[in-house]
């Protein structure tokens, strides 16, 4: 089977996510006294997270690129439509988990994203994707809603900010409580939009879960 360029870009995004996970795993085994805990000047930005941010931004950009090229070149394929949402979920959810669990390994540094935010956002995706699968098996389409789009926007803003220790807002909120800084407001907004959109999805498409008569 010949794979077109847009689909290759999607596959590259998936490979990039695995590379990011391996990179953080290497940072963990390197230990808190290694390059993993080095910071960029006095910014509080860990070098390992700077790399993570760069990879995230590049991967997020490919999400736009593969869709744009597929439409422009009329190369939308079943494989591409299957892999694209998987790549998106892998990128966002892997980044959420990384930022929720890795920082304590670098010393007395708190996790950058609270676990309850990570659980809500990942659980929402699991519920919605499951409903879409069930709907597709019945020949139905689960309608999107504006809160789902807002969720994605806030995630795309929040994650790079957290990777960069809240920069550029860190110039004035660095001394604030870690959970009250500006970058966390975007995390909370993304979490709220995830929860709201998930509830709306379930409510509006509750008939999908009923047995066909």
């Amino acid at each position: 089977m010949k794979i077109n360029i847009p689909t290759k870009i999607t596959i590259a995004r998936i490979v990039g996510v695995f590379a990011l996970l391996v990179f953080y795993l290497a940072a963990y085994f390197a230990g808190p006294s290694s390059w993993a805990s080095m910071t960029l000047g006095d910014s509080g930005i860990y070098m390992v997270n700077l790399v993570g941010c760069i990879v995230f931004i590049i991967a997020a950009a490919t999400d736009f690129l593969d869709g744009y090229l597929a439409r422009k070149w009329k190369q939308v394929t079943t494989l591409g439509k299957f892999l694209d949402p998987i790549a998106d979920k892998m990128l966002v959810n892997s980044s959420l988990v990384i930022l929720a669990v890795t920082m304590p390994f670098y010393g007395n540094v708190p996790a950058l994203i609270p676990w309850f935010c990570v659980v809500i956002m990942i659980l929402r995706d699991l519920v919605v994707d499951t409903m879409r699968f069930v709907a597709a098996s019945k020949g139905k389409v689960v309608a999107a809603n504006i809160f789902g789009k807002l969720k994605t926007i806030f995630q795309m803003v929040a994650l790079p900010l957290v990777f960069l220790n809240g920069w550029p807002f860190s110039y004035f909120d660095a001394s604030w409580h870690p959970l009250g800084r500006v970058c966390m407001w975007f995390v909370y907004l993304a979490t709220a939009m995830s929860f709201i959109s998930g509830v709306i999805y379930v409510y509006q498409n509750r008939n999908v879960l009923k047995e066909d008569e």
Side-chain angles (χ1 to χ4, degrees), residues 12 16 70 95 113 120 130 151 161 177 180:
S95 298
I113 294 182
I120 289 174
T130 299
K151 180 264 302 184
L161 285 176
H177 188 282

Side-chain angles (χ1 to χ4, degrees), residues 66-81:
D66 58 10
Y68 171 77
L69 292 179
R71 292 186 296 270
K72 180 179 179 180
W73 296 341
K74 294 181 173 54
Q75 293 183 354
V76 177
T77 63
T78 301
L79 178 61
K81 290 190 291 186

Side-chain angles (χ1 to χ4, degrees), residues 106-129:
Y106 303 147
N108 296 320
V109 180
L112 295 183
I113 294 182
W115 261 109
F116 76 86
C117 293
V118 177
V119 170
I120 289 174
M121 285 188 269
I122 293 180
L123 184 60
R124 178 266 182 198
D125 284 347
L126 289 174
V127 171
V128 171
D129 289 345

Side-chain angles (χ1 to χ4, degrees), residues 39-57:
T39 58
L40 187 64
D42 59 355
S43 64
I45 301 174
Y46 284 84
M47 297 302 294
V48 65
N49 282 350
L50 177 61
V51 174
C53 180
I54 293 173
V55 172
F56 179 86
I57 291 175

Side-chain angles (χ1 to χ4, degrees), residues 111-177:
L112 295 183
I113 294 182
W115 261 109
F116 76 86
C117 293
V118 177
V119 170
I120 289 174
M121 285 188 269
I122 293 180
L123 184 60
R124 178 266 182 198
D125 284 347
L126 289 174
V127 171
V128 171
D129 289 345
T130 299
M131 290 195 69
R132 284 175 174 163
F133 176 78
V134 173
S137 69
K138 297 182 177 182
K140 300 178 181 179
V141 177
V142 174
N145 63 69
I146 185 61
F147 293 101
K149 299 182 187 306
L150 289 174
K151 180 264 302 184
T152 300
I153 292 172
F154 284 125
Q155 284 179 332
M156 292 300 106
V157 174
L159 288 170
L161 285 176
V162 176
F163 271 119
L164 297 180
N165 191 33
W167 184 87
F169 303 106
S170 55
Y171 286 115
F172 65 86
D173 71 357
S175 61
W176 297 6
H177 188 282

